[in-house]
Amino acid sequence: MTIPADLEKRFAAREGQLLNDLFDFLRIPSVSARSEHNADTQRAAAWVHERLARIGFTVETCQTPGHPVVLGEWRKAPAGAPTILVYGHYDVQPPEPLELWTSPAFEPTIRDGKLFARGSVDDKGQLFAHVAALEVFLEARGTLPVNIILLAEGEEEVGSENLAPFIEKNKKRLACDGVVISDSSMFAPGIPSILSSLRGLAYFEINVRGPASDLHSGSYGGAVVNPAMALARILATMHDETGKVAIDGFYDAVRPFPPAVIAGMRQLPFDEEQFRHEVGAPALGYEPQYTVLEKLWTRPTCEVNGLLSGYTGEGAKTVLPGVSMAKVSCRLVPDQDPLKIEALMKKHVAKVTPKGVTVTVKHLHGGKPWRADLEGPLFEAAKKALAAAFGREPVVTGEGGSIPVVGDFERILGVPVLLMGFGLPGENAHAPDEWISVENFSKGMRAIAALFEQLAAK
Ligand code: BES
Ligand code: ZN
């Protein structure tokens, strides 16, 4: 299969303009974590709303306790055609540290075939690839072969807390035959990919309190328990000496991946030494019986994301800090449950906390892990569509990151979720100099259009 000629012609004609339009979308600093950007986040929602309305979608911007959900609907496909729900997020991560960007985060720039901007790959560029594919399809044919519900949210980067309740509440309206998401990456340049798993997440803040205030470390040190040392001790007990998580019961719910899935992972062309070189670490670590891809995609973790205590400025200050704090997150695999992990974490911390300090563990947000068997018409159609756009069959990959709503869609709507992303390794999501490959954006749009075409044919 190739991309149908009428669509290809239209894509070729519109490509430059569509890229320009994406630039406009990327210029809006829709940082969901920062309230000073609330107006920008609203503006990004309005941008998506307007874009869908313009091509004949019925659109509603739905208020939530947080940032709005934009819901576009096009239901004029021939009788019997399936209904597909497309999901993406218009919010982005904060751009800091600004000084590490080669060109400013919200001034999109193309260098060497890469479009640099915050949100270029995660996820505005990929969300817009869907909108653009729908536009081109409608321009070329005046109609779509499937009914479309497009749901764009503005809180993915802060945990999607309001989305499951929204889906629950609008269950009837969101009824569909499958969900399609592009918010992930391809295995390597030129190798289109379908995701079969995501890790889940349980994110904690641990606060340790000792004396009522900071103290002179000479006058008090040695008699008053030091909260920074206490925290270091607590954190150190979370791993054993091989790096396995040493929290009682942590692995109890882990269900091994099917041997065929592991065999598939082992067949992917992956150079562990090159991976080490790319991340710039002197050596890789942990669980030697697993390959790097198995570690990233099939094993749970417990990691420190941030640490704060005492004096960290220039030179020396002899102080015994009154408090210390750590951000700790666990990536989870099927069937670990974030709420159960929260209970285990709290029990563990209580058990290992030294006398002389008090500790609180707060669960900030979480999401369940996800795994799919990739069977059925949605995945068959995706394989053909990706092959048509990229000129080769897709591979099946896993993912170490999390998209909490994926499991919610599956559970609440009872339909399969297809994850076909167009990012690439090294794309700097959440980091300075985030980029999306211009080639992947343009092939991605075509793959999406081909997917709709394939689904209608079923
Ligand atoms: N697009 C990512 C998810 C992702 C990460 C896909 C890595 C493929 C590779 C998403 O926007 C994200 O960053 N998710 C967060 C979830 C969290 C905020 C609940 C993550 O994984 O940290
Ligand atoms: Zn993200």
Side-chain angles (χ1 to χ4, degrees), residues 190-215:
I191 307 185
S193 311
I194 295 176
L195 261 189
S196 72
S197 63
L198 290 159
R199 288 195 290 194
L201 187 69
Y203 199 117
F204 305 99
E205 183 177 307
I206 300 177
N207 280 282
V208 180
R209 266 152 236 284
S213 72
D214 285 5
L215 299 171

Side-chain angles (χ1 to χ4, degrees), residues 89 122 156-157 159 183-184 201 331 365 399 401-404 430:
H89 62 96
D122 184 8
E156 198 277 345
E157 299 294 6
D183 188 22
S184 56
L201 187 69
R331 293 283 169 177
H365 61 63
E399 178 51 60
S402 312
I403 309 177
H430 297 200

Side-chain angles (χ1 to χ4, degrees), residues 237 281 301:
T237 64
T301 66

Side-chain angles (χ1 to χ4, degrees), residues 156-413:
E156 198 277 345
E157 299 294 6
V158 288
S160 299
E161 252 181 275
N162 297 302
L163 196 54
F166 179 88
I167 299 167
E168 201 78 72
K169 204 171 120 202
N170 293 279
K171 199 174 153 173
K172 286 227 176 75
R173 191 171 172 191
L174 300 176
C176 60
D177 298 289
V179 176
V180 179
I181 302 178
S182 299
D183 188 22
S184 56
S185 299
M186 307 204 317
F187 182 70
I191 307 185
S193 311
I194 295 176
L195 261 189
S196 72
S197 63
L198 290 159
R199 288 195 290 194
L201 187 69
Y203 199 117
F204 305 99
E205 183 177 307
I206 300 177
N207 280 282
V208 180
R209 266 152 236 284
S213 72
D214 285 5
L215 299 171
H216 190 293
S217 69
S219 311
Y220 297 91
V224 176
V225 177
N226 182 316
M229 296 299 286
L231 179 58
R233 264 182 184 284
I234 293 168
L235 295 174
T237 64
M238 290 182 188
H239 274 184
D240 69 12
E241 54 295 339
T242 70
K244 240 189 129 182
V245 180
I247 296 171
D248 265 352
F250 186 79
Y251 292 95
D252 284 0
V254 173
R255 177 164 52 96
F257 275 61
V261 175
I262 301 289
M265 288 176 189
R266 293 197 168 192
Q267 261 160 33
L268 292 170
F270 187 80
D271 183 334
E272 298 196 348
E273 173 51 24
Q274 190 192 328
F275 172 83
R276 184 204 64 76
H277 180 76
E278 277 164 16
V279 298
L284 300 175
Y286 308 138
E287 304 191 292
Q289 66 275 39
Y290 297 101
T291 65
V292 167
L293 291 181
E294 285 162 43
K295 290 176 192 180
L296 298 175
W297 297 350
T298 77
R299 297 296 294 163
T301 66
C302 176
E303 309 218 73
V304 174
N305 297 112
L307 274 176
L308 197 66
S309 186
Y311 182 68
T312 56
E314 192 182 345
K317 177 188 178 192
T318 45
V319 64
L320 193 163
V323 294
S324 62
M325 187 274 283
K327 306 267 186 187
V328 173
S329 69
C330 300
R331 293 283 169 177
L332 309 178
V333 303
D335 293 320
Q336 288 176 305
D337 179 79
L339 293 178
K340 294 205 175 114
I341 295 297
E342 175 188 354
L344 296 177
M345 173 65 86
K346 286 183 167 161
K347 198 170 155 203
H348 178 85
V349 170
K351 189 176 87 187
V352 300
T353 297
K355 282 212 174 62
V357 294
T358 57
V359 180
T360 58
V361 177
K362 192 171 154 206
H363 189 190
L364 297 184
H365 61 63
K368 287 191 177 140
W370 171 81
R371 191 155 95 202
D373 56 16
L374 309 185
E375 271 162 23
L378 186 59
F379 299 102
E380 293 313 313
K383 282 182 203 163
K384 290 192 186 134
L386 287 166
F390 286 85
R392 65 154 286 168
E393 292 282 315
V395 295
V396 171
T397 63
E399 178 51 60
S402 312
I403 309 177
V405 73
V406 171
D408 297 328
F409 277 132
E410 216 176 57
R411 180 175 50 83
I412 303 169
L413 302 178

